[in-house]
């Protein structure tokens, strides 16, 4: 099988613990830390991954890199005894992934754009870095593209906030199909409501 440039890139990114990738990721993380939390970039760090997720190097498609702080969440305790360390409940996990959080922050900052997808580009002890692909639904190059103009419909406004992107669907459990996924569709709540709602036929 002949390998093109993108296949070579894919193989490189699969071996993240090789000397080359460890050095590259370490240097890149240092660079990413110096930049703003949400910053626009001219080219994808992973062109092969970006293209697999729908990126095209054309007008109307932009890339933003987002920095997200790692770790779980904490909640204020009802009863605090003496020390400040006791004022929080720790070990609370957010239901959505950090990738979904990155998409959400990019979507909020750039309200006129639509979030298409995102991918991981690096992490260190404190942060994770993701690149988010966004599309301008009002650009003629997007509206006239038959493969891309589905995202211009009003129903896709802020799709990242409603769990419709790949990361959002994953946290909703919708990546699971068949056996074991009977109670997940159309959503957990809707499924529960259908099974627990008693409806009586109206007497006429």
């Amino acid at each position: 099988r002949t390998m093109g440039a993108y296949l070579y890139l894919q193989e490189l990114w699969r071996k993240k613990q090789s000397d080359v990738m460890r050095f590259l990721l370490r240097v890149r993380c240092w660079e990413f830390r110096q930049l703003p939390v949400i910053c626009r970039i001219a080219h994808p760090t992973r062109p092969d991954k970006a293209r697999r997720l729908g990126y095209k190097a054309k007008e109307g498609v932009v890339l933003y890199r987002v920095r997200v702080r790692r770790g779980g969440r904490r909640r204020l305790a009802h009863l605090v005894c003496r020390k400040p360390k006791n004022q929080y409940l720790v070990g609370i996990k957010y239901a959505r992934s950090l990738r979904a959080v990155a998409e959400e922050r990019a979507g909020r900052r750039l309200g006129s754009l639509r979030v298409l997808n995102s991918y991981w580009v690096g992490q260190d002890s404190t942060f994770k870095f993701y690149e988010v692909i966004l599309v301008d639904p009002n650009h003629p190059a997007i509206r006239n593209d038959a493969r891309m103009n589905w995202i211009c419909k009003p129903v896709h406004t802020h799709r990242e906030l409603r769990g419709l992107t790949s990361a959002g669907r994953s946290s909703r459990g919708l990546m699971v199909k068949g056996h074991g996924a009977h109670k997940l569709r159309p959503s957990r709540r809707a499924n529960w409501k259908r099974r627990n709602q008693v409806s009586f036929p109206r007497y006429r």
Side-chain angles (χ1 to χ4, degrees), residues 34-52:
Q34 317 309 314
L35 299 170
V37 175
I38 300 174
C39 67
R40 184 172 175 179
I41 54 175
H43 306 287
T45 307
R46 302 174 64 180
D48 58 317
K49 184 70 171 175
R51 284 179 61 82
R52 284 204 301 277

Side-chain angles (χ1 to χ4, degrees), residues 47-166:
D48 58 317
K49 184 70 171 175
R51 284 179 61 82
R52 284 204 301 277
L53 297 179
Y55 171 78
K56 298 283 183 188
K58 61 185 287 181
E59 292 180 345
V61 183
V62 293
L63 280 165
Y64 277 80
R65 190 183 300 115
V66 184
R67 186 174 77 218
V68 185
R69 191 171 284 272
R70 296 177 65 179
R73 297 200 161 191
R74 59 186 188 179
R75 185 178 295 161
L76 281 169
H78 296 298
L79 186 67
V80 180
C81 297
R82 296 180 61 217
K83 297 179 184 174
K85 65 170 281 189
N86 298 330
Q87 65 188 353
Y88 293 107
L89 299 174
V90 295
I92 297 166
K93 310 291 186 291
Y94 188 38
R96 303 176 73 182
S97 65
L98 293 179
R99 185 173 144 222
V101 172
E103 290 178 354
E104 186 178 323
R105 288 179 186 172
R108 283 184 193 278
R109 174 72 65 88
L110 307 145
S112 61
L113 304 183
R114 305 273 164 89
V115 174
L116 180 62
N117 222 319
S118 63
Y119 54 93
W120 178 93
V121 285
Q123 68 186 51
D124 57 17
S125 60
T126 313
F127 302 107
K128 281 197 178 190
F129 303 95
Y130 296 96
E131 285 180 6
V132 184
I133 307 163
L134 296 115
V135 178
D136 183 359
N138 300 309
H139 200 287
I142 302 299
R143 297 184 82 87
N144 298 329
D145 187 342
R147 290 184 175 181
M148 225 176 216
N149 61 7
W150 58 269
I151 207 167
C152 299
K153 293 178 183 175
V155 74
H156 291 295
T157 306
H158 284 300
R159 56 200 296 269
E160 73 285 347
L161 299 178
R162 296 177 287 132
L164 302 181
T165 57
S166 179

